[in-house]
Amino acid sequence: MGITNQEYFLLFVTSYLLVGVLTPLMRKIAIATDVVDRPNSAHKSHKKAVPYLGGVAIIIGVISVSYSASLISDFTSATFWLATSVLGPALLLGLIGLWDDLRNLSPLPRFIAQSIAGIFTSTILILTNSVGNPTGSTIFDSIITIIWVVGICNSINFFDNLDGGAAGTVAISSIGLAYLSLLGDQYLIAALSIVTAGSTLGFLVWNKSPAKIYMGDAGALFLGVLLATLTVRFQPTTETQLGSLLTPIFLLAIPILDTSVAVISRMSKNISPFQGGQDHLSHRLIRSGLSRKQSAFLLWSLSGFFTILSIAITKFQQINDYFLVCSGLIILNILFFIFSKKN
């Protein structure tokens, strides 16, 4: 059953207001309990201690609004379990991230938890035949899903290194995914994407530069798994298979680009990819002379460009589809070359 435009708008406003109200409350709790991010290592770019727990506000907002909406509307056990198959893995990683914010875990437990979430998501998608871009091979679909979930989860977590950078980018990608899902009558994905966009924008009010609170690993891992699960379920309505495969990649192009630049830079210097560093896109932009606000705005703009490109791919015929896909790949590679040169 479809959802009306008024209901989508209500989902957006409710999640925006709820997280906007919860975030300053979580900030007070973080300060009172000394759950803060101190600039006590070389890869930290902020000067003062900033409270964590913003991610908890996002998690509460997304979970409560999503389940409340399903209860109020056409609630069935099938709807409940369908929503849980998306929100469950995200919540698991969010709790692992919260534990990391409180206890500073090593990378291995996080990687194990991400892999478990990827395997769980893959199993659900394969059993329910709901992979958005199936290859025709169960084994390949499972492997690709696991790699995608773990990869995007880490990308969003890595990308959360600039005031407002990750929150704004996730909001833009979620809005684009919601619009594309509406075009294909994929209402669950559209609704959850709208809630995600509203929640991250509500948080962004407090997280924009200079940030009063960070989402922490709790929020970054939660949003990473949520976006990964939604995009791997999403079935683009494109003219070509290539356009269909690359649409989710373009939606998340900037976090993927950020992770690629940082990881390859570290590996070229024999440094662990999981070790923190000031080699992300935001750090390179700031060293180039941009302010933190300007860097965030540029990253949002790039994310918006690739999101618009994803939408355009669904609007044009086959020959234009190939042209847009090739153009997007060329631009992405140019950006990779430019950022890689900014040491």
Side-chain angles (χ1 to χ4, degrees), residues 307-318:
T307 298
I308 292 172
L309 180 63
S310 301
I311 294 173
I313 290 173
T314 68
K315 295 287 189 178
F316 293 98
Q317 299 300 316
Q318 182 170 333

Side-chain angles (χ1 to χ4, degrees), residues 171-210:
I172 292 169
S173 299
S174 299
I175 291 171
L177 180 59
Y179 179 77
L180 290 170
S181 300
L182 286 174
L183 293 179
D185 296 332
Q186 300 171 63
Y187 302 114
L188 174 68
I189 296 176
L192 289 175
S193 298
I194 284 291
V195 171
T196 302
S199 298
T200 47
L201 287 175
F203 170 72
L204 184 60
V205 173
W206 302 92
N207 181 239
K208 67 181 185 295
S209 184

Side-chain angles (χ1 to χ4, degrees), residues 67 78-91 117 120-125 128 130 188 192 225-226 229-230 232-233:
Y67 279 117
T79 303
F80 173 82
W81 288 114
L82 186 59
T84 302
S85 69
V86 177
L87 297 173
L91 178 59
F120 174 83
T121 302
S122 172
T123 303
I124 294 296
L125 293 175
T128 58
S130 53
L188 174 68
L192 289 175
V225 174
L226 182 57
T229 305
L230 291 175
V232 82
R233 282 179 174 271

Side-chain angles (χ1 to χ4, degrees), residues 20-40:
V21 171
L22 285 175
T23 300
L25 175 61
M26 298 311 303
R27 182 177 186 274
K28 291 181 179 179
I29 294 175
I31 293 174
T33 55
D34 197 34
V35 182
V36 298
D37 183 13
R38 292 184 172 85
N40 53 7

Side-chain angles (χ1 to χ4, degrees), residues 281-296 298 342-343:
L281 303 187
S282 61
H283 301 135
R284 295 166 190 262
L285 289 173
I286 291 171
R287 283 196 294 271
S288 296
L290 296 183
S291 67
R292 299 174 75 87
K293 289 183 180 179
Q294 291 170 334
S295 298
L298 178 57
K342 291 183 179 295
N343 294 321

